[in-house]
Amino acid sequence: MRHLMNPLDFSVEELDKLFDLANRMEADPARYAHACEGKKLATCFYEPSTRTRLSFEAAMLNLGGQVLGFSDAASSSASKGESVSDTIRVISCYADICAMRHPKEGAPMVAAERSGIPVINAGDGGHQHPTQTLTDLLTIRSLKGRLGGFTIGLCGDLKFGRTVHSLINALIRYSDIRFIFISPPELKVPDYITDMLTEKDIAYEEVIRLEDCMPDLDLLYMTRVQRERFFNEEDYVRLKDFYILDKAKLSAAKDDLLVLHPLPRVNEISVEVDDDPRAVYFKQAKYGVYVRMALILTLLGIEE
Ligand code: NCD
């Protein structure tokens, strides 16, 4: 039985197969409409979510399967003190596969150790968010035609943003990638990441102003400031509007830049940017459904 805890749980070759499958699903959804008939996906969400939970559910429904679950810890037995290990043992009796989001780093991993069904980490605290990373990689591969050979700017809350940490980890396996980390000093990417890049001899730069690197970028990954992971509201309020991508700033960018965002957006991208063909964050949300469809099928071991 296989789980997904970290994007690196799949090799580059396995990811290519997964993305090929996702692209086939996009091209011919009807062919997969009954692939998971009789199967159930449990979504166990101990932390708020719109996209991740609903895209998992949409993915399973698109495959002809069914869904059950809870969307908030308060409405589960966690509020009575049940451990994730016990919860997953029980869920294993009800469902065939589980997507779990938890505010504590490592909780889905603990669940996977006791689970009788595949567990997918749908975000654990500030740690990892592997299915968002699969979504990001599929979006880049589908729209750029390749993974590798580009300069990517990651902008915003690089300290607490788990999507950023997961994406960097996954991208370093591709060749010729240069990272530009754009953040206020307080929200810099953690040292363990820059140390890892230095050790692997991967090029990166850290800048504060988005304007300073805009013309160099092939990809711009915007993120929101992660309010719920701040220790005090004052710091959040001071930093929340540090970056606002608008048309004026985008005018200095390449014509084939892609602007990605895992969403939800707060203020960091002005709505006037949404109509620019380089803004692909809503397309990205759609790729999130195809990649989760491919992942469910793969983890359940269902042949095409
Ligand atoms: C992200 C997350 O939950 O980390 N959202 C998502 O799943 N698309 C990003 C965020 O909350 O900022």
Side-chain angles (χ1 to χ4, degrees), residues 62-259:
N62 288 347
L63 293 167
Q66 288 173 304
V67 296
L68 65 165
F70 54 86
S71 55
D72 142 36
S75 66
S76 79
S77 283
S79 64
K80 300 180 186 168
E82 188 174 51
S83 67
V84 288
S85 300
D86 281 1
T87 304
I88 196 68
R89 288 179 81 169
V90 173
I91 303 276
S92 301
C93 307
Y94 305 154
D96 302 283
I97 185 164
C98 171
M100 179 181 285
R101 167 170 290 191
H102 204 286
K104 279 208 189 110
E105 283 83 358
M109 173 87 95
V110 171
E113 280 163 11
R114 282 313 184 96
S115 179
I117 58 175
V119 177
I120 301 168
N121 176 5
D124 61 329
H127 186 219
Q128 296 276 339
H129 192 346
T131 60
Q132 182 62 49
T133 299
L134 299 184
T135 302
D136 302 338
L137 295 179
L138 175 65
T139 307
I140 298 168
R141 200 185 85 140
S142 302
L143 300 178
K144 280 263 176 223
R146 63 180 196 279
L147 282 166
F150 44 66
T151 298
I152 176 167
L154 295 115
C155 177
D157 187 346
L158 309 187
K159 178 178 180 189
F160 296 115
R162 57 191 170 195
T163 59
V164 167
H165 306 158
S166 267
L167 183 58
I168 297 169
N169 250 330
L171 281 176
I172 58 171
R173 296 195 294 186
Y174 300 94
S175 58
D176 195 18
I177 297 211
R178 180 173 153 234
F179 292 98
I180 304 189
F181 300 131
I182 310 147
S183 75
E186 296 90 333
L187 297 179
K188 272 170 60 162
V189 76
D191 289 344
Y192 79 87
I193 292 187
T194 44
D195 290 349
M196 180 260 302
L197 295 176
T198 307
E199 199 180 299
K200 293 187 187 294
D201 209 13
I202 296 170
Y204 74 90
E205 265 171 70
E206 294 183 281
V207 302
I208 296 177
R209 281 164 39 95
L210 183 52
E211 295 85 331
D212 290 345
C213 60
M214 192 63 107
D216 292 340
L217 303 178
D218 302 302
L219 301 167
L220 172 58
Y221 195 89
M222 296 295 295
T223 61
R224 88 186 153 91
V225 176
Q226 305 276 302
R227 179 182 202 161
E228 66 277 32
R229 306 199 202 286
F230 271 68
F231 296 109
N232 68 68
E233 184 70 9
E234 237 169 75
D235 285 348
Y236 169 72
V237 170
R238 189 165 49 81
L239 294 168
K240 73 182 174 63
D241 292 330
F242 203 92
Y243 298 105
I244 300 180
L245 178 66
D246 55 17
K247 273 191 171 164
K249 288 193 189 112
L250 204 54
S251 67
K254 289 184 183 171
D255 289 342
D256 63 351
L257 170 78
L258 296 183
V259 182

